[in-house]
């Protein structure tokens, strides 16, 4: 089976974070990584213990959000280094994985 | 602690993809893997840069969807090989993980 | 780049499981792990083959839920050992990852 090495990245934020737009713009316009997906959690809390959750009635709360993407290891390395200057420590998690077949380079 | 090796798989698609139904049927009826879960992202884009996103008003868009599951490494290997014939390169990501206790074989 | 080792944990449950509240209380009040996020899937099934899914009209079903968090490897090890006494085999998946910069210890 054809497979390649990738790094998967998950960035843990909240919807209310002002820089989420900026981050997505960077990922879309500059980094051009693969598989960018934004997931909204229904509840969450970090080390502060402060809850972020939703009900059907109140869908506009400050919910936890995870931005996920993946790409070649070297490319991700430099992207994480850049993001590290924008996002405070402890919010970017990444690990090695395999991907089916060979990815086409993004022009 | 009892733990076993598994492989976690995430398949990156869009809701509008006609073969999502077919994939889920295969996973449900034939592969019988563990923990199949379909997650809908609230926004996303791939290497094409084309956005897929939602608002509260417009919930029927072509949103990014991730199908996740896990199982024993050998079993996943043959499943990914099969899926590889159905899904174009660069959309199936998988990595090794541990699972609590020993999984019961699925009959 | 400053990075540390973490373990990422994903627990696979259903909304209707009575012990979800108890689990979240434990993670919030006692374990004090990082990045706890609850994700609701839109569809899913396990080894039993029983479907759990939603439509826009029926949002109150027994949907699949994943509780995710991460923290230092030693800390996670003891947490998974505890959770193992509460959650039946085959529902807690975890793997090694890196995190940006050094995490502050949670007091």
């Amino acid at each position: 089976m054809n497979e390649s090495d990738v790094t998967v990245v998950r960035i843990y934020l909240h919807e209310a974070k002002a820089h989420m737009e900026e981050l997505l713009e960077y990922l879309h316009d500059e980094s051009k990584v693969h598989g960018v997906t934004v997931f909204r959690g229904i509840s969450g809390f970090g080390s502060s213990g402060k809850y972020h959750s939703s009900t059907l009635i109140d869908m506009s709360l400050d919910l936890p959000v995870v931005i996920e993407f993946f790409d070649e290891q070297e490319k991700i390395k430099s992207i994480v280094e850049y993001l590290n200057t924008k996002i405070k420590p402890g919010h970017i998690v990444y690990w090695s994985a395999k991907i089916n077949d060979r990815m086409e380079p993004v022009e």
Side-chain angles (χ1 to χ4, degrees), chain A:
Chain A
M1 182 169 58
N2 261 356
E3 58 181 23
S4 312
D5 294 317
V6 288
T7 301
V8 178
V9 182
R10 278 170 82 86
I11 306 176
Y12 296 79
L13 298 170
H14 299 121
E15 282 184 313
K17 289 281 180 193
H19 58 211
M20 204 174 93
E21 285 291 305
E22 187 193 331
L23 260 180
L24 287 174
E25 259 175 53
Y26 164 75
L27 292 172
H28 186 267
D29 299 341
E30 291 181 54
S31 79
K32 295 186 189 297
V33 284
H34 285 267
V36 179
T37 315
V38 184
F39 299 96
R40 184 195 276 135
I42 57 171
S43 180
F45 43 86
S47 54
S48 71
K50 193 186 158 203
Y51 265 103
H52 300 265
S53 60
S54 76
T55 63
L56 280 182
I57 289 153
D58 184 2
M59 294 185 78
S60 56
L61 265 178
D62 175 25
L63 288 173
V65 160
V66 170
I67 305 175
E68 178 174 318
F69 54 89
F70 54 85
D71 216 307
E72 288 168 20
Q73 296 177 314
E74 279 308 300
K75 188 172 172 182
I76 290 295
K77 200 178 159 192
S78 69
I79 287 166
V80 170
E81 265 167 21
Y82 170 78
L83 293 175
N84 218 2
T85 66
K86 298 284 180 186
I87 295 171
K88 64 180 184 175
H91 286 71
I92 309 176
V93 175
Y94 44 101
W95 62 89
S96 295
K98 297 286 184 188
I99 196 162
N100 68 324
D101 234 314
R102 185 157 295 283
M103 289 199 296
E104 317 271 326
V106 181
E107 307 286 332

